[in-house]
Amino acid sequence: MKNKSIKKWTIGVFLIFTFLGIVSCVGIKSQIKQHTGGKTEVVDTSFFNPITDPIAITNVNVLSDDCSEMLEGMTVLLEEGEIKAVGKNIKIPTKHRVIDGSDQFLIPGLIDSHAHLQRSKNDLLLYLANGVTSIAELFGHDRHLNWRTDAQNGALSPNLFVATRKLGSQKGLMPKVRSWFGARKNYTSVGQARRAVKKWKQKGYDAIKLSSFLNTDIYDALIDEAEKQDIPAIGHLSLDVGLEHFYISSQSQLAHIEEVVKNLQNSFGGVNSSNAEAFLKYVEGQADSISFKIKQNNIPVGTTINLMESLPMQMFQCEQFVKEIELEYANPGQVEGSRMAKGWLPGNNHYQNLNTLKDSEWQRHLEIYWNAFVKAIHIVTKSMIKNNVTLIAGTDSNATGMVAGFSLHDELTSLNNVGMSNAQVLRSSTSLAAEWMKIKAGKIKTGYKADLVLLQKNPLEDINNTRSINAVISNGKFLDRDLLDKMLQAVKNANNRSRKVNIDEYVTK
């Protein structure tokens, strides 16, 4: 009798814990869905009707292949998602719809080489409305593979390049639990790492994403197997791996300029307010050698410097920062956050340091550090420009404060401010990015994808003119200004209907 009671008690406790575990998992997944934008109303794109006829854009100024000049009085023929002809005095077939491009400027569709869609499908419209016709999703999920297929089948969407989620080698229970809910995936043996690369390749991912938490053995295994499987290994640079090992590896892209600065901080022995100036001198002494070796090994580097520039403002002037971005278009789930993750708003911003509101001396020390960090990124970026490193424009979109689509124009401005010419900036966000993604885009050239942006003003005169969009051509579909405005309004309306927090006080535009 006693044994039966113990058995019943044991079964009861087991069932209770099982039930609590299931409830906890459901709750966690619900919170993850909230803060990754999955509970926001999705815009019905069937109401948008772009022009799909063959198109002739006449008498337009066309950006040259090297982005150095505008070629005047050109005609561009588009059909079936492809550029069929570019030149002067081209005979226009009767089936083509003629678009007068007089006093306008035609550039290739822009490319964001570092994007994060998460569950925020409306972002696809934001990219197009901002002239971004291709993106690289660098924390991919199977849903993004489906969205990529939809785009290939004619959905209203930029082209998608989809890398895996970040791959690491951390051990322990918590890294494993986090991986169950979609965070970094960890491999603790060389065999696991090699099998994983084969699996991700078979699933159809375009690249393997390396995390900042990789030991050298797993890093080498991932990269070696990726090379064997003919899939690029891209992403972060672990401090365990370091710059010297990185140069001789087969890592085919570095996702952030800041990865170099982080490794320099490590080799310097740590940075704080008291040694910040010495650190900057150290960076100046190392930058050209690093840039030379990266160039020598032909490794493209993603930029993402605008996000880094925003960090001091998000930390110490958060309210002003959110008033300066296109907050109303950002997915409200991400803006508001959840019980598990902070969002973008003051008081709950992922980067904001609330302790500094109470301690001005602590704020002073942090400001010195973060301003030095940003200056170090500028030093390294200028060195890379000088040494002709292949820089590809990326934004880390949907990282806190980086609004999908809009953030690329902010990145182009930052690159221009740090020393890139307008032509170099345009190459970084068109032809160079397309070459890295291995897509036939990024140039206005016969046989290339009909992904283009028609601008009111010349971006070679002012890089901010990339924002003066009259029309976007995505996969041959012509989206005029009226349609682009309707898309933006639809996203704004869907966001407003999905909000839990009123943002009127932060929307000043």
Side-chain angles (χ1 to χ4, degrees):
M1 195 72 176
K2 185 177 180 181
N3 288 339
K4 286 184 179 179
S5 297
I6 293 173
K7 187 176 181 181
K8 286 180 180 180
W9 184 85
T10 303
I11 292 172
V13 170
F14 173 77
L15 291 175
I16 289 170
F17 275 101
T18 300
F19 174 76
L20 291 175
I22 292 171
V23 170
S24 296
C25 286
V26 170
I28 291 170
K29 287 187 174 182
S30 176
Q31 290 298 302
I32 292 171
K33 187 174 182 180
Q34 162 67 19
H35 76 242
T36 55
K39 294 186 178 181
T40 296
E41 176 186 318
V42 178
V43 172
D44 183 355
T45 60
S46 66
F47 290 102
F48 304 128
N49 295 301
I51 296 170
T52 56
D53 301 336
I55 292 168
I57 305 174
T58 61
N59 198 36
V60 70
N61 300 294
V62 170
L63 188 66
S64 62
D65 289 352
D66 65 359
C67 300
S68 66
E69 61 179 324
M70 284 290 178
L71 308 175
E72 298 178 355
M74 304 292 281
T75 294
V76 181
L77 300 184
L78 312 174
E79 187 175 359
E80 295 180 346
E82 186 177 291
I83 300 171
K84 296 296 184 182
V86 182
K88 294 187 177 182
N89 304 315
I90 292 176
K91 185 177 180 181
I92 301 172
T94 55
K95 63 182 178 179
H96 280 60
R97 182 184 295 221
V98 176
I99 305 293
D100 183 7
S102 297
D103 299 320
Q104 297 179 75
F105 302 87
L106 193 67
I107 67 171
L110 299 171
I111 300 173
D112 189 336
S113 300
H114 195 139
H116 295 295
L117 288 163
Q118 300 189 50
R119 287 175 170 83
S120 193
K121 194 172 186 181
N122 291 344
D123 289 356
L124 300 175
L125 300 180
L126 296 181
Y127 287 113
L128 291 182
N130 280 280
V132 182
T133 56
S134 295
I135 63 171
E137 163 55 66
L138 295 195
F139 199 107
H141 186 279
D142 289 355
R143 75 176 73 86
H144 301 136
L145 298 179
N146 295 331
W147 294 0
R148 183 185 66 187
T149 300
D150 292 342
Q152 292 167 345
N153 291 335
L156 203 56
S157 167
N159 308 301
L160 299 183
F161 172 103
V162 184
T164 65
R165 60 169 136 161
K166 288 186 283 191
L167 308 183
S169 59
Q170 287 183 303
K171 297 180 180 180
L173 178 61
M174 287 312 298
K176 182 172 288 188
V177 170
R178 283 193 291 267
S179 74
W180 294 341
F181 293 100
R184 183 186 308 111
K185 184 71 175 175
N186 291 290
Y187 304 105
T188 56
S189 74
V190 166
Q192 282 182 346
R194 290 187 179 277
R195 288 191 295 272
V197 172
K198 295 175 184 176
K199 180 192 76 171
W200 295 114
K201 172 72 182 287
Q202 289 170 357
K203 286 172 76 71
Y205 285 86
D206 294 305
I208 300 299
K209 175 75 179 286
L210 307 168
S211 84
S212 298
F213 300 93
L214 274 170
N215 64 48
T216 304
D217 288 343
I218 303 300
Y219 173 86
D220 286 343
L222 289 169
I223 286 184
D224 181 65
E225 191 61 43
E227 195 169 23
K228 289 178 179 177
Q229 299 299 323
D230 193 27
I231 183 171
I234 68 174
H236 294 219
L237 177 57
S238 165
L239 298 180
D240 286 346
V241 172
L243 284 163
E244 293 301 324
H245 194 75
F246 164 70
Y247 302 138
I248 61 173
S249 75
S250 299
Q251 183 169 336
S252 59
Q253 182 254 20
L254 187 63
H256 307 269
I257 292 172
E258 73 204 57
E259 295 298 308
V260 172
V261 175
K262 289 176 181 177
N263 274 267
L264 286 174
Q265 284 182 318
N266 188 54
S267 61
F268 184 71
V271 183
N272 53 51
S273 61
S274 65
N275 65 2
E277 287 301 319
F279 172 65
L280 291 176
K281 289 180 181 177
Y282 174 73
V283 174
E284 287 173 349
Q286 297 290 319
D288 282 348
S289 173
I290 292 168
S291 297
F292 176 79
K293 290 175 183 176
I294 290 175
K295 175 64 178 178
Q296 190 177 44
N297 289 283
N298 196 31
I299 305 169
V301 179
T303 56
T304 67
I305 67 172
N306 182 257
L307 172 60
M308 295 298 101
E309 290 171 337
S310 80
L311 295 189
M313 194 167 185
Q314 292 201 61
M315 289 177 181
F316 311 120
Q317 302 173 59
C318 189
E319 186 167 330
Q320 182 62 33
F321 173 79
V322 295
K323 288 180 179 179
E324 294 179 3
I325 62 175
E326 295 80 3
L327 189 65
E328 65 269 41
Y329 296 105
N331 191 303
Q334 294 166 353
V335 169
E336 295 163 6
S338 70
R339 289 193 294 274
M340 291 184 59
K342 290 187 175 183
W344 297 17
L345 297 176
N348 190 42
N349 179 284
H350 177 73
Y351 295 117
Q352 186 180 22
N353 193 316
L354 296 175
N355 291 329
T356 63
L357 299 176
K358 304 172 184 176
D359 188 337
S360 58
E361 183 65 15
W362 176 236
Q363 176 172 330
R364 187 182 70 82
H365 286 295
L366 284 178
E367 284 180 337
I368 291 171
Y369 167 79
W370 281 107
N371 287 331
F373 186 81
V374 172
K375 284 180 183 178
I377 287 173
H378 287 165
I379 291 167
V380 172
T381 305
K382 289 176 181 178
S383 173
M384 288 182 172
I385 295 167
K386 181 178 72 174
N387 288 282
N388 297 313
V389 172
T390 300
L391 295 176
I392 51 177
T395 70
D396 228 342
S397 63
N398 281 328
T400 307
M402 298 295 107
V403 184
F406 296 93
S407 59
L408 184 59
H409 297 282
D410 296 331
E411 184 70 18
L412 302 189
T413 300
S414 289
L415 291 172
N416 192 226
N417 289 340
V418 84
M420 270 191 171
S421 69
N422 293 2
Q424 288 173 318
V425 171
L426 290 169
R427 280 200 298 276
S428 77
S429 56
T430 57
S431 58
L432 293 178
E435 288 169 17
W436 169 68
M437 290 169 66
K438 296 182 179 179
I439 57 175
K440 203 169 184 181
K443 294 182 180 180
I444 305 177
K445 192 171 181 178
T446 301
Y448 277 59
K449 289 178 67 65
D451 292 338
L452 307 164
V453 185
L454 192 59
L455 300 174
Q456 183 180 350
K457 299 176 183 178
N458 186 353
L460 290 178
E461 294 178 356
D462 183 342
I463 200 62
N464 290 299
N465 288 341
T466 58
R467 305 172 195 260
S468 66
I469 298 172
N470 280 342
V472 175
I473 301 98
S474 172
N475 197 26
K477 295 185 286 291
F478 189 90
L479 316 174
D480 63 17
R481 185 66 257 172
D482 180 62
L483 181 53
L484 297 176
D485 288 338
K486 288 178 180 176
M487 289 161 53
L488 288 171
Q489 188 62 50
V491 173
K492 187 188 293 189
N493 292 344
N495 286 350
N496 286 336
R497 288 191 290 266
S498 304
R499 291 193 196 287
K500 297 180 179 179
V501 177
N502 188 294
I503 63 167
D504 288 350
E505 64 180 300
Y506 305 118
V507 178
T508 60
K509 298 177 182 179

